[in-house]
């Protein structure tokens, strides 16, 4: 059994407890948000690579997710079907793995007929370039990340439609071997270059 705790500045505390039951993974997730004095509990059962059922207890909403893999022209195609019953929303995702460093992904929302197309390229194992085009908003989303030092990751992302720029730094926790910390700075360039919104997160994983 594994337990994980995540703390985010000004956003409260979240905790996850996961257990294996044969081929299935059982998970309970709870979030405490002091700002609105409320908690959120969700339960899920998953068979990796096959299906996921997630139940949001307060909202009484269920998410169904089914995964499958096929071969297309000797390339691996990963497909995912996701449906939210309460919102009556369905998304189809597909990722074509061209090789170890290149893949193409597409996401299609059936209710809105919106589609996103993304290309991912990994250069020399440390630099990742990910352009994405949103057909619904007729805009680009760009993400750049680089692995530095001993596994630390620096990432920058930009959304042209909202002119939102985000910078992230993720590093391994010195207190927990499987934990990590993340600091983010978000800029709304549509309002000019002002002081960014800063967010700090920390994650800890434990064996129980």
């Amino acid at each position: 059994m594994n337990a994980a705790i995540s703390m985010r500045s000004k956003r409260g505390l979240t905790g996850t407890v996961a257990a294996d039951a044969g081929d299935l993974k059982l998970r309970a997730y709870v979030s405490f948000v002091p700002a609105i004095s409320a908690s959120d509990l969700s339960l899920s059962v998953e068979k990796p690579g096959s299906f996921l059922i997630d139940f949001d207890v307060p909202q009484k909403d269920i998410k169904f997710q089914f995964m499958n893999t096929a071969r297309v022209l000797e390339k691996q195609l990963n497909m995912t079907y996701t449906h939210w019953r309460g919102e009556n929303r369905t998304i189809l995702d597909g990722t074509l793995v061209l090789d170890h460093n290149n893949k193409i992904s597409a996401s299609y929302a059936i209710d809105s007929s919106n589609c996103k197309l993304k290309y991912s390229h990994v250069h020399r194992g440390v630099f990742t370039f990910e352009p994405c085009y949103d057909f619904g908003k007729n805009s680009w989303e760009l993400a750049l990340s680089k692995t530095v030092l001993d596994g630390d990751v620096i990432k920058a992302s930009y959304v042209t439609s909202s002119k939102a720029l985000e910078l992230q730094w993720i590093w391994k926790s010195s207190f927990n071997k499987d934990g990590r910390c993340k600091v983010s700075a978000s800029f709304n360039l549509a309002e000019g270059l002002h002081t960014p919104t800063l967010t700090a997160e920390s994650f800890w994983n434990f064996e129980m």
Side-chain angles (χ1 to χ4, degrees):
M1 181 178 292
N2 295 316
I5 299 176
S6 170
M7 182 174 65
R8 187 173 184 180
S9 60
K10 299 183 180 180
R11 294 293 181 89
L13 183 71
T14 64
T16 302
V17 176
D20 294 335
D23 292 337
L24 301 179
K25 291 184 178 294
L26 309 178
R27 185 177 293 107
Y29 171 91
V30 63
S31 176
F32 301 96
V33 187
I36 57 176
S37 300
S39 64
D40 184 24
L41 173 65
S42 65
L43 306 172
S44 70
V45 56
E46 176 186 9
K47 184 177 181 180
S50 182
F51 70 85
L52 167 70
I53 301 175
D54 188 83
F55 179 55
D56 188 324
V57 177
Q59 300 297 324
K60 297 181 179 180
D61 190 14
I62 299 180
K63 179 181 76 174
F64 299 94
Q65 192 172 77
F66 301 95
M67 296 81 80
N68 203 350
T69 300
R71 301 291 295 183
V72 177
L73 299 176
E74 300 303 318
K75 306 296 182 183
Q76 179 174 307
L77 175 62
N78 301 319
M79 299 169 289
T80 303
Y81 169 92
T82 307
H83 177 73
W84 290 263
R85 192 184 66 174
E87 302 177 15
N88 194 26
R89 185 163 59 96
T90 302
I91 294 180
L92 303 177
D93 294 293
T95 300
L96 182 63
V97 182
L98 302 177
D99 54 42
H100 182 68
N101 297 317
N102 299 277
K103 60 185 178 181
I104 299 174
S105 303
S107 179
Y108 179 73
I110 294 179
D111 58 319
S112 63
S113 297
N114 186 28
C115 181
K116 287 186 176 183
L117 187 63
K118 182 173 72 172
Y119 170 70
S120 177
H121 172 69
V122 179
H123 183 65
R124 294 184 179 179
V126 296
F127 183 82
T128 303
F129 173 60
E130 294 180 310
C132 175
Y133 187 74
D134 188 327
F135 288 89
K137 296 180 180 179
N138 192 28
S139 66
W140 285 93
E141 300 174 11
L142 303 174
L144 299 171
S145 62
K146 184 178 181 180
T147 303
V148 297
L149 302 177
D150 188 21
D152 294 3
V153 177
I154 296 176
K155 182 177 181 179
S157 60
Y158 179 69
V159 180
T160 58
S161 59
S162 60
K163 296 185 178 180
L165 172 66
E166 184 175 37
L167 304 177
Q168 297 181 0
W169 176 29
I170 305 171
W171 70 95
K172 296 179 181 179
S173 171
S174 58
F175 302 102
N176 183 264
K177 65 177 183 179
D178 296 320
R180 65 188 188 278
C181 302
K182 180 172 73 173
V183 174
S184 304
S186 301
F187 300 83
N188 185 354
L189 299 184
E191 300 177 354
L193 190 59
H194 301 293
T195 302
T197 300
L198 298 177
T199 302
E201 298 178 70
S202 185
F203 306 84
W204 300 278
N205 293 309
F206 305 94
E207 291 285 345
M208 299 178 64

